[in-house]
């Protein structure tokens, strides 16, 4: 899906993306900057550092945390935590650069960029805008597929944990994941009817609580397993050659990079989260930087604890998903609680990620067919709740499509790694760096410009390598995979 930007004569993209959101307060009959409206005529934003942090944590501490034990097992005790810390620092730094691009010009009075696409459109030109649009929305679709897979695996794990408890661990307990993907999809159709990003703060807070719940349970079970083992498993260099072939070692290490990148990925929705923050003072960029510090520090702590404890508990045999790979069987009820928390969290995370895509398509449709009752009309159902037929149809179709694709490709680790690789360099590093250079008018070939470009180049190399590792893993899985089959 391209951004569909309308180009001016000089090749610089004009601002067509969210016309309905850019109407001034005077045209609406409101005074911009009044008690009820912000300086752009929209209703007062009420977000704070804490709500922004909740949105970020909801988006970040997702299914990715559960694959980190496996990722560290591929890299070992030295490279694993080092790579994790490196990605956290890069994510924080580039997020700080991106947050400065929310307003064009002055950080407190400049023109707002409501979305990531608007920020790119305001600072860059030509084909870059369309490439960004394609990558952002393709990545959102990919995340929706990845989260559907992860949620179904967790629901499946609840059923299998109960089966193992009742029939013993030697029983294969073969169960199909397809019905659980359908259940998750049905829930997403319902929650996708929440109209706007700023109306899902409550869902983000619930999801953030759930993420801490299952991460803490995974950490606790890992500690118990280490105690039961009477020592820490694992090695300095990770899974050894002999257990796997040299080529497999390379591919799996590269895929581990992608898994860790996915675990930190949220830049593609950062501007949308920033647009929920209340007006200055302090400026939205300062609040967002604080929220980024809080959320990245929190997630890194949890990642280190969960990933390292998963590796310490299982060593080279660390499962691809800590709570569903059945390194743990008991207590089965605690595994059930943890996996239920994962499902609830992923319901919220799915919505946090998909809202920018939903909004983009709906604003584009409103601009294209402004007089269509199907596109802009609303029907009051009950209790003041209104349904827009286009929103109902389009969002439901999107959920159905991503659910069907998820049924065809349920490879958790490989999909997670590929998504991380696909979005990391362009959306987390390249566009924030390029926009910041334009925004701050950094001179070409100056020391700061060179350092930023070297950072971008290094991350590009990591992205290409990680994508190659993940594609190799997916190709290997496809050789033995049968669609709609039962779980192993």
């Amino acid at each position: 899906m391209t951004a569909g930007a309308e180009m001016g004569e000089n090749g610089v993209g004009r601002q067509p993306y969210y016309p309905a959101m850019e109407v001034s307060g005077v045209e609406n009959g409101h005074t911009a900057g009044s008690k009820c409206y912000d300086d752009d005529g929209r209703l007062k934003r009420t977000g704070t550092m804490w709500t922004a942090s909740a949105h970020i944590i909801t988006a970040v501490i997702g299914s990715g945390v559960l694959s980190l034990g496996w990722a560290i097992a591929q890299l070992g005790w030295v490279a694993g935590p080092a790579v994790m810390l490196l990605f956290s620092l890069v994510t924080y730094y580039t997020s700080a650069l991106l947050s400065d691009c929310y307003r064009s010009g002055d950080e407190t009075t400049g023109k707002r960029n409501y979305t990531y696409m608007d920020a790119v459109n305001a600072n860059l030109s030509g084909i870059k805008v369309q490439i960004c649009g394609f990558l952002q929305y393709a990545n959102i679709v990919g995340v929706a597929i990845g989260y559907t897979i992860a949620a179904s695996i967790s629901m499946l794990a609840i059923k299998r944990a109960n089966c193992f408890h009742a029939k013993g661990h030697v029983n294969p307990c073969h169960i199909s994941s397809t019905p659980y993907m359908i259940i998750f999809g049905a829930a997403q159709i319902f929650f996708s009817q929440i109209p706007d990003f700023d109306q899902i703060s409550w869902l983000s807070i619930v999801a953030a609580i759930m993420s801490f719940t299952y991460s803490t349970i995974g950490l606790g079970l890992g500690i118990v397993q280490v105690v039961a083992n009477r020592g820490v498993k694992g090695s300095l260099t990770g899974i050894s050659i002999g257990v796997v072939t040299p080529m497999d070692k390379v591919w799996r290490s590269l895929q581990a990079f992608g898994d860790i990148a996915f675990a930190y990925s949220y830049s593609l929705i950062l501007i949308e989260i920033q647009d929920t923050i209340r007006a200055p003072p302090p400026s939205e960029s300062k609040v967002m930087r604080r929220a980024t510090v809080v959320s990245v520090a929190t997630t890194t702590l949890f990642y280190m604890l969960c990933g390292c404890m998963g590796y310490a508990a299982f060593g080279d045999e660390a499962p691809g998903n800590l709570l569903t790979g059945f390194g743990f069987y008991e207590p089965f009820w605690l595994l059930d609680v943890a996996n239920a928390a994962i499902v609830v969290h992923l319901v919220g995370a799915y919505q946090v990620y998909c809202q920018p895509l939903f909004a983009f398509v709906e604003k584009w449709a409103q601009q294209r067919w402004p007089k269509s009752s199907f596109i802009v009309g609303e029907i009051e159902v009950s209790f003041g709740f209104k349904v827009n037929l286009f929103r109902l149809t389009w969002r439901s179709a999107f959920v159905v499509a991503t659910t069907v694709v998820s049924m065809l490709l349920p490879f958790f680790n490989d999909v997670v790694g590929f998504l991380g690789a696909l979005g990391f360099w362009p959306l987390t590093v390249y566009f924030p760096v390029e926009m910041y250079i334009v925004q701050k008018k950094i001179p070409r070939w100056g020391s700061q410009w060179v350092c930023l470009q070297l950072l971008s180049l290094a991350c590009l190399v990591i992205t290409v390598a990680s994508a190659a590792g993940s594609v190799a893993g997916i190709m290997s899985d496809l050789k033995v995979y049968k669609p709609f089959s039962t779980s192993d």
Side-chain angles (χ1 to χ4, degrees), residues 65-67 69 218-219 306 310 314 319-328 335:
V65 69
L66 303 172
S67 68
L219 174 62
C306 292
F314 300 108
N321 187 311
L322 193 59
L323 292 173
T324 63
F326 290 99
F328 305 112
L335 287 173

Side-chain angles (χ1 to χ4, degrees), residues 67-81 83 234-241 243-260 307 311 314-321 413:
S67 68
L68 293 179
W70 180 90
I72 292 180
Q74 312 314 308
L75 300 170
W77 281 119
V78 176
V83 168
S235 64
L236 294 179
T237 57
I239 191 166
S240 56
I241 294 174
V243 177
V244 295
T245 65
M247 187 55 68
D248 281 343
K249 171 72 173 178
V250 172
W251 289 131
R252 290 169 70 150
S253 296
L254 293 177
Q255 187 185 331
F257 272 78
D259 283 4
I260 295 171
Y311 185 40
F314 300 108
D316 291 349
E317 297 177 355
N321 187 311
N413 268 67

Side-chain angles (χ1 to χ4, degrees), residues 302-429:
F302 264 77
Y303 286 175
M304 286 289 189
L305 290 172
C306 292
C308 292
M309 200 53 64
Y311 185 40
F314 300 108
D316 291 349
E317 297 177 355
N321 187 311
L322 193 59
L323 292 173
T324 63
F326 290 99
F328 305 112
Y329 289 93
E330 301 290 345
F332 80 99
W333 60 268
L334 191 59
L335 287 173
D336 289 353
V337 170
N339 281 299
I342 293 170
V343 174
V344 173
H345 171 264
L346 290 174
V347 168
Y350 186 106
Q351 290 303 317
V352 168
Y353 264 102
C354 291
Q355 281 293 334
L357 177 58
F358 292 160
F360 170 78
V361 171
E362 285 152 27
K363 296 302 177 184
W364 173 82
Q366 288 173 18
Q367 179 193 21
R368 191 81 168 78
W369 299 284
K371 296 182 180 179
S372 169
S373 58
F374 177 74
I375 301 293
V376 300
E378 291 188 329
I379 301 171
E380 187 165 341
V381 182
S382 61
F383 304 107
F385 184 74
K386 296 179 179 179
V387 173
N388 174 270
L389 292 178
F390 177 69
R391 182 170 65 232
L392 177 64
T393 305
W394 133 248
R395 295 190 183 190
S396 298
F398 173 85
V399 173
V400 169
T402 55
T403 303
V404 170
V405 174
S406 301
M407 293 175 188
L408 297 172
L409 294 171
F411 316 131
F412 178 72
N413 268 67
D414 296 326
V415 171
V416 161
F418 183 71
L419 292 176
L422 180 66
F424 177 70
W425 176 70
L427 298 173
T428 301
V429 182

